[in-house]
Amino acid sequence: MAGIRQALLDFVFPPLCHLCRRHVPDAGALHICEPCRTELAYIGQPLCTICGEPFAGSGPDHPCGTCLTDPPHFDTARAALIHQGGARTLIHSFKYHHKTHLKRPLALLITERLADHARHAACNLILPVPLHRRRLRERGFNQSLLLAEQLSRCWNIPFERQLLRRTRETIPQAELHADQRRSNVREAFAVADPAMLAGRRVMLVDDVITTGSTANECARTLKRAGARAVSVIAVARAVSD
Ligand SMILES: [Zn+2]
Ligand SMILES: [Zn+2]
């Protein structure tokens, strides 16, 4: 019945592509038309088995030089897309233009691309990267929390919105040089109730992985509080400069 209703609605109000706003008669759940979809820069293999940084060329996955010399606190980090073009546009509208309905296609891009990885990581708790109270008041919502909620529903993994907290304000990582980012987020997070983390395998959700400093500091905090594993999942990752 729901299927017929949706088909009728699509006939009367054909869905618009989230990127080019053209009608997409056969948009599927993603609502991104085929031409826009083919322009998204999906991350494929080969990549770093730890931080997920893609490598040029072909060959097997392997740890990157950075992960070998300075291993991160998280066990793995993966993103569906490179943060450029259509992916950047979608995430920007989602975060800065209050287009919160974009949480669905963005979460869908993650579940389509990273289902195998998520299964392998065998997480039993989903946590969003928290925003500081003041940033939350300004924006009105935490984009990572909206994504985490979608992933929790889709993958049927419990989700806690308040367990990991941001205890002090930090400068937006995008405004800083790579070498300033680690100290910017140092000791900026805390776990409200460590007992809830004991032995848990955490999926930490963020919208964009920039240098991984934020995810790494969250992972450090979570592991210190008793988490057994931390896998970072994001919509997109910045290309390293
Ligand atoms: Zn389009
Ligand atoms: Zn790496």
Side-chain angles (χ1 to χ4, degrees):
M1 195 56 206
I4 298 169
R5 202 181 115 92
Q6 190 59 50
L8 261 171
L9 275 171
D10 286 356
F11 180 74
V12 184
F13 307 106
L16 299 179
C17 170
H18 286 306
L19 280 164
C20 66
R21 311 306 299 160
R22 279 196 293 258
H23 289 301
V24 259
D26 202 11
L30 195 58
H31 286 198
I32 296 177
C33 73
E34 204 47 42
C36 287
R37 239 193 122 128
T38 54
E39 272 176 36
L40 291 173
Y42 290 104
I43 294 176
Q45 291 171 315
L47 43 75
C48 169
T49 45
I50 300 169
C51 72
E53 164 138 359
F55 303 127
S58 57
D61 294 348
H62 57 88
C64 73
T66 313
C67 287
L68 284 175
T69 54
D70 186 14
H73 294 280
F74 51 75
D75 297 81
T76 57
R78 293 292 184 277
L81 300 152
I82 299 286
H83 191 232
Q84 64 185 30
R88 183 192 279 268
T89 309
L90 283 173
I91 292 168
H92 191 91
S93 315
F94 175 50
K95 261 166 101 163
Y96 303 114
H97 299 290
H98 227 275
K99 302 262 168 67
T100 51
H101 65 280
L102 291 174
K103 67 186 177 185
R104 287 192 192 86
L106 290 172
L108 203 56
L109 285 164
I110 293 179
T111 57
E112 276 182 355
R113 299 293 298 185
L114 301 174
D116 283 350
H117 178 73
R119 208 170 304 124
H120 192 74
C123 298
N124 51 17
L125 180 65
I126 295 188
L127 301 178
V129 169
L131 278 187
H132 188 262
R133 274 192 317 275
R134 203 171 75 88
R135 192 82 55 78
L136 188 62
R137 258 200 313 274
E138 280 167 14
R139 189 171 297 164
F141 63 98
N142 174 358
Q143 71 281 0
S144 303
L145 188 146
L146 297 186
L147 293 171
E149 202 169 20
Q150 296 288 306
L151 296 182
S152 162
R153 231 178 265 167
C154 177
W155 283 335
N156 204 18
I157 301 171
F159 150 72
E160 285 293 337
R161 55 181 66 220
Q162 301 271 25
L163 189 53
L164 181 63
R165 293 177 179 187
R166 204 179 278 249
T167 49
R168 70 176 172 81
E169 262 190 287
T170 54
I171 303 162
Q173 294 285 77
E175 292 172 18
L176 296 173
H177 290 296
D179 55 349
Q180 299 172 311
R181 286 173 175 164
R182 194 177 286 207
S183 55
N184 181 43
V185 291
R186 185 93 184 155
E187 301 292 346
F189 302 93
V191 173
D193 182 4
M196 289 178 73
L197 271 183
R200 295 291 202 122
R201 301 181 64 86
V202 175
M203 179 184 289
L204 179 70
V205 179
D206 207 352
D207 54 335
V208 183
I209 299 171
T210 308
T211 56
S213 301
T214 303
N216 197 37
E217 182 62 17
C218 287
R220 197 175 73 88
T221 309
L222 291 168
K223 288 239 171 123
R224 206 173 38 184
R228 213 169 97 203
V230 178
S231 302
V232 183
I233 291 266
V235 180
R237 65 171 296 139
V239 272
S240 54
D241 35 37

